[in-house]
Structures are given as C-alpha cells and as structure tokens.
C-alpha cells in the first residue's frame, strides 16, 4: 500500500501544483518497501484548485501575523 507522508501546494509558471511524498508499505508485514517517493501534478479540477487556494491563503495568514 502507498501512504502519503507530506503534501506541498505551490504556484509556478504552469499553474497550481501539488507535490505528494509517500512511502510504499508491505500490507502484510508493515515493512517499509520504499520511502520518500514523490509524485507531482498540476491541479486541474476546479474544486481541488479552490481547496489549494484556501490552504495557501490560510498559510499566508500565519506569515502575515509574524513579527518582523
């Protein structure tokens, strides 16, 4: 089975991107077969884009309130 371990959302010249890091784990033993594998996608689904935008705005609120 594959287990997502981290997610990054970012904007670049292509558009909104989603980068997912995951581990492959043996279903029977729980042993990690492969670690830190990555898949990257351009987000094309409108509702997923809206969620990514909200997440970036939420993150920005933390940045905006940090003392300089």
């Amino acid at each position: 089975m594959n287990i997502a371990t981290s997610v990054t959302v970012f904007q670049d010249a292509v558009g909104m991107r989603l980068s997912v890091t995951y581990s492959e784990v043996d279903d029977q033993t729980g042993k990690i077969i492969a670690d830190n594998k990555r898949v990257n996608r351009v987000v094309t689904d409108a509702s997923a884009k809206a969620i990514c935008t909200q997440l970036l705005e939420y993150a920005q609120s933390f940045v905006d309130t940090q003392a300089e």
Side-chain angles (χ1 to χ4, degrees):
M1 84 177 110
N2 295 330
I3 300 173
T5 56
S6 72
V7 177
T8 304
V9 177
F10 58 98
Q11 278 287 138
D12 68 3
V14 177
M16 181 79 66
R17 287 197 186 222
L18 184 69
S19 177
V20 181
T21 304
Y22 66 98
S23 295
E24 290 182 29
V25 178
D26 182 281
D27 291 341
Q28 301 300 316
T29 66
K31 181 179 176 183
I32 296 172
I33 299 167
D35 207 8
N36 291 322
K37 295 189 89 171
R38 183 177 306 258
V39 61
N40 295 292
R41 295 288 185 268
V42 174
V43 180
T44 57
D45 179 76
S47 62
K49 272 188 194 180
I51 292 167
C52 291
T53 298
Q54 287 177 327
L55 184 58
L56 286 170
E57 289 169 355
Y58 182 64
Q60 186 63 46
S61 72
F62 290 113
V63 173
D64 291 343
T65 59
Q66 293 299 308
E68 303 226 6

